[in-house]
């Protein structure tokens, strides 16, 4: 990766708890009456079990999706302040580190078999996970053929009797259910399309939680919701519910979600805006598509090849988000420069949200070409296959 050529600052600091003021916090409507408005003081009486490293170190690049991350908005506010940690504003190392967290394990690609459908590579399956699939001989076969660039001389495909997308969806779905939570945790009963590239014909549909175990391309929509006030931009940031199966308690976008089977990007974004932040369609339809970020991350049997479609939405200054589906604990409006500090200094954000916000920083002029590593960082935001 481009970021490997840079020497990172190895700065660290301990988390201390404070009673910093917390304006512009919006709690979900299921927890408080809908008439409740901001500001609302963040809870600071609950003991914090802080499990997130905040070192400026290339060695600290592991963020587990199943760990519980417990910190308050007070911690976010305090660590976002310009003078809370001595730091050179032209140093981009903290941003490079967040990109690296989303792009681990490239040296392990040789451990994966191509998953081939209709003579096209649709994904990659780890040898260890493939061993579990070998038991299902009526669903998966393993031709001895290195035509697809595999060093081991074989690939994975589906049994030729599974001719239609529905046949394949049902057969693979039964296997996923049989393997269960022990091998594929977090099953959601939500289907992702399996395809060679975005917009291409769909081979079949796969349980969302199983997507990285088959190494398929997965797509999502992520929206930066911002406000302009007194000459500065502020971003609405969400804090994920502790009940979320992945990255509970971490910081997130105002609205974001995976792209399931059978729904267009714009339609999906409107749906996520309503569910996650209570944004009516009359406002969310004004969101502007601004590009993509992509990454490739290998972790054990999981091979994530994600492409995120990015959107910007300028919101009225009077708008206050209210979560509708129980997946967001609270929201906070934070100056963009302070959000950048949080990304640089901590691992509070869900990893892929960081790179979407870094992209926002580039597009809105918060990054300067005079900063060392500017072009490499910009290029690294699309480290994965954007097809």
């Amino acid at each position: 990766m481009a970021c490997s050529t840079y020497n990172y600052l190895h700065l660290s600091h301990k988390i201390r708890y404070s009673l910093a003021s917390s304006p512009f916090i919006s709690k979900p409507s299921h927890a408080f009456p809908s008439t409740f408005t901001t500001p609302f003081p963040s809870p600071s009486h609950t003991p914090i079990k802080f499990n997130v490293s905040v070192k400026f170190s290339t060695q600290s690049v592991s963020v587990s999706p199943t760990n519980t991350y417990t910190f308050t908005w007070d911690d976010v506010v305090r660590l976002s302040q310009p003078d809370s940690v001595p730091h050179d504003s032209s140093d981009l190392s903290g941003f490079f580190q967040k990109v690296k967290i989303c792009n681990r394990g490239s040296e392990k690609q040789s451990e994966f078999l191509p998953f081939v459908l209709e003579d096209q590579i649709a994904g990659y399956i780890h040898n260890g996970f493939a061993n579990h699939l070998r038991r299902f001989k009526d669903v998966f076969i393993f031709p001895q053929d290195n035509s697809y660039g595999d060093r081991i001389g074989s690939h994975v495909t589906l049994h030729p009797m599974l001719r239609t997308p529905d046949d394949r969806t049902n057969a693979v779905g039964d296997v996923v259910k049989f393997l269960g939570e022990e091998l594929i945790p977090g099953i959601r009963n939500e289907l992702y399309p399996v395809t060679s590239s975005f917009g291409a014909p769909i081979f079949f549909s796969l349980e969302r939680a199983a997507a990285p175990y088959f190494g398929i391309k997965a797509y999502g929509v992520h929206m930066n919701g911002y406000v302009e006030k007194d000459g500065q931009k502020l971003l609405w940031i969400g804090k994920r519910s502790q009940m979320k199966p992945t990255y509970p308690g971490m910081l997130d976008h105002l609205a974001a979600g995976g792209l399931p089977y059978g729904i267009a990007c714009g339609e999906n974004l409107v749906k996520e805006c309503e569910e996650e932040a209570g944004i009516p369609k009359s406002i969310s339809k004004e969101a502007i598509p601004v590009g993509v970020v992509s990454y490739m991350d290998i972790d054990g049997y999981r091979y994530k090849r994600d492409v995120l479609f990015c959107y910007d939405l300028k919101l009225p200054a009077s708008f206050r988000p209210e979560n509708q589906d129980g997946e967001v604990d609270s929201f906070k409006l934070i100056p963009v420069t302070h959000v950048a500090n949080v990304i640089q200094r901590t691992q509070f954000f869900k990893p892929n949200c960081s790179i979407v916000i870094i992209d926002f920083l580039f597009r809105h002029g918060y990054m300067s070409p005079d900063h060392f590593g500017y072009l490499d960082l910009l290029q690294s935001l699309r480290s994965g296959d954007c097809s």
Side-chain angles (χ1 to χ4, degrees), residues 15-150:
I15 297 299
R16 300 175 185 172
Y17 309 132
S18 69
L19 298 177
S21 60
S22 302
F24 300 110
I25 289 183
S26 177
K27 296 296 287 185
S29 58
H30 65 271
F32 294 95
S34 59
T35 56
F36 193 91
T37 58
T38 57
F40 180 80
S42 69
S44 53
H45 302 295
T46 305
I48 297 175
K49 296 201 298 191
F50 192 80
N51 300 318
V52 183
S53 168
V54 290
K55 290 182 179 180
F56 289 111
S57 168
T58 57
Q59 304 304 313
S60 179
V61 293
S62 180
V63 178
S64 170
T66 55
N67 283 355
T68 298
Y69 301 92
T70 309
F71 53 86
T72 71
W73 285 116
D74 286 339
D75 300 307
V76 175
V77 169
R78 181 173 43 78
L79 290 170
S80 73
Q81 300 304 308
D83 58 351
S84 65
V85 178
H87 186 61
D88 178 1
S89 62
S90 67
D91 173 44
L92 304 180
S93 61
F95 296 131
F96 275 113
Q97 186 189 47
K98 300 310 180 296
V99 174
K100 187 174 182 178
I101 289 173
C102 291
N103 291 277
R104 301 167 298 173
S106 59
E107 73 280 1
K108 298 179 181 178
Q109 286 178 297
S110 61
E111 299 175 11
F112 289 77
L113 300 172
F115 181 35
V116 178
L117 297 168
E118 300 178 14
D119 296 323
Q120 298 183 69
I121 296 178
Y124 296 90
I125 300 175
H126 192 275
N127 281 312
F129 189 75
N131 288 335
H132 293 285
L133 303 181
R134 291 179 187 275
R135 294 180 285 164
F136 305 94
K137 299 183 185 300
D138 293 336
V139 180
F140 298 98
I141 60 174
F142 295 80
Q144 293 299 308
D145 177 2
N146 61 2
S147 302
Y148 299 96
D150 179 58

Side-chain angles (χ1 to χ4, degrees), residues 321-361:
E322 291 186 358
N323 178 245
Q324 307 297 313
D325 60 7
E327 295 189 356
V328 183
D329 175 71
S330 55
F331 298 94
K332 187 169 179 62
L333 189 61
I334 304 176
V336 172
T337 53
H338 291 198
V339 173
N341 288 338
V342 173
I343 292 174
Q344 281 265 50
R345 299 168 180 173
T346 78
Q347 290 181 16
F348 287 170
F349 272 96
K350 181 172 174 279
N352 62 1
C353 295
S354 291
I355 59 175
V356 174
I357 295 174
I358 294 170
D359 178 70
F360 180 92
L361 297 176

